[in-house]
């Protein structure tokens, strides 16, 4: 129960950041935040369930290093597109998703966040995003230079 409360706070903060960045406001014609999920373990499963409850969000794609895991995850969460590599995701989803949620093992976060920022994706990364101040400063500078958002989940 406590985890769901935390996820709701994350979702609220994230929506606020997105609205601030893109100046989106609720209107009669709904504008959805299109999500891509990268790394399809327990946290991705939980976050996907939370996103499904949000009337302003839709998960449009998912990626894993294992195509069969991606296929099962996509089927479970009714996701239209799925990929068996993160490079395929980047090639095909550029300009199609508003945000990428990275839920890979934490030791891979720096490399994957860097990869997605370099390709101009807005990123929400599960914690811990990085293990050092130097890594954070590098990613922060990269996000700013590419005019994209970088957020660490709480």
């Amino acid at each position: 129960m406590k985890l769901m409360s935390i996820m709701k706070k994350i979702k609220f903060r994230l929506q606020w950041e997105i609205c601030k960045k893109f100046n989106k406001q609720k209107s009669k014609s709904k504008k959805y935040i299109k999500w891509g999920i990268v790394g399809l373990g327990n946290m991705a499963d939980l976050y996907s369930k939370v996103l499904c409850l949000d009337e302003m969000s839709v998960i449009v794609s998912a990626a894993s290093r294992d195509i069969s895991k991606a296929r099962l995850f996509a089927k479970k969460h009714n996701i239209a597109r799925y990929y068996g590599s993160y490079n395929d995701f980047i090639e095909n989803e550029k300009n199609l998703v508003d945000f990428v949620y990275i839920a890979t093992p934490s030791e891979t976060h720096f490399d994957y966040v860097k990869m997605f920022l370099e390709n101009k994706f807005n990123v929400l990364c599960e914690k811990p995003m990085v293990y050092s101040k130097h890594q954070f400063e590098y990613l922060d500078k990269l996000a700013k230079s590419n005019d994209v958002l970088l957020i660490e989940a709480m």
Side-chain angles (χ1 to χ4, degrees):
M1 191 62 164
K2 184 178 180 182
L3 189 55
M4 286 303 286
S5 175
I6 292 169
M7 294 301 288
K8 286 179 184 177
K9 288 178 185 176
I10 292 168
K11 188 176 78 167
F12 175 80
R13 179 171 178 237
L14 180 60
Q15 286 175 340
W16 180 82
E17 290 289 340
I18 292 169
C19 288
K20 187 171 80 172
K21 170 77 176 173
F22 296 109
N23 196 24
K24 292 180 181 174
Q25 296 180 357
K26 290 183 182 179
S27 66
K28 291 180 183 174
S29 61
K30 291 191 177 190
K31 173 69 176 162
Y32 294 98
I33 299 166
K34 294 176 292 245
W35 286 89
I37 308 292
V38 173
L40 307 179
N42 292 334
M43 287 306 294
D45 186 59
L46 178 61
Y47 196 71
S48 295
K49 290 173 184 173
V50 171
L51 282 176
C52 288
L53 300 174
D54 181 14
E55 65 186 36
M56 291 185 64
S57 294
V58 61
I59 304 169
V60 297
S61 56
S64 173
R65 293 174 298 169
D66 177 351
I67 190 69
S68 61
K69 187 172 185 177
R71 185 180 306 110
L72 288 171
F73 190 89
K75 184 177 180 180
K76 177 179 181 180
H77 296 283
N78 198 27
I79 300 170
R81 299 181 302 275
Y82 57 90
Y83 303 94
S85 88
Y86 303 142
N87 288 327
D88 287 347
F89 178 97
I90 288 170
E91 283 179 38
N92 293 289
E93 294 299 315
K94 201 169 221 167
N95 303 317
L96 296 178
V97 298
D98 299 315
F99 247 92
V100 173
Y101 172 63
I102 298 178
T104 59
S106 43
E107 62 272 7
T108 66
H109 286 175
F110 176 78
D111 293 328
Y112 290 138
V113 169
K114 179 178 176 249
M115 181 170 72
F116 282 93
L117 292 176
E118 288 172 341
N119 285 280
K120 301 187 180 198
F121 284 86
N122 294 300
V123 172
L124 170 65
C125 183
E126 196 50 63
K127 67 178 184 179
M129 184 178 356
V130 293
Y131 290 110
S132 74
K133 180 181 175 185
H134 172 73
Q135 287 179 328
F136 174 77
E137 288 170 345
Y138 178 85
L139 293 177
D140 185 52
K141 184 177 179 180
L142 183 59
K144 288 175 181 170
S145 70
N146 284 315
D147 194 32
V148 293
L149 287 173
L150 173 61
I151 302 171
E152 180 179 41
M154 291 187 196

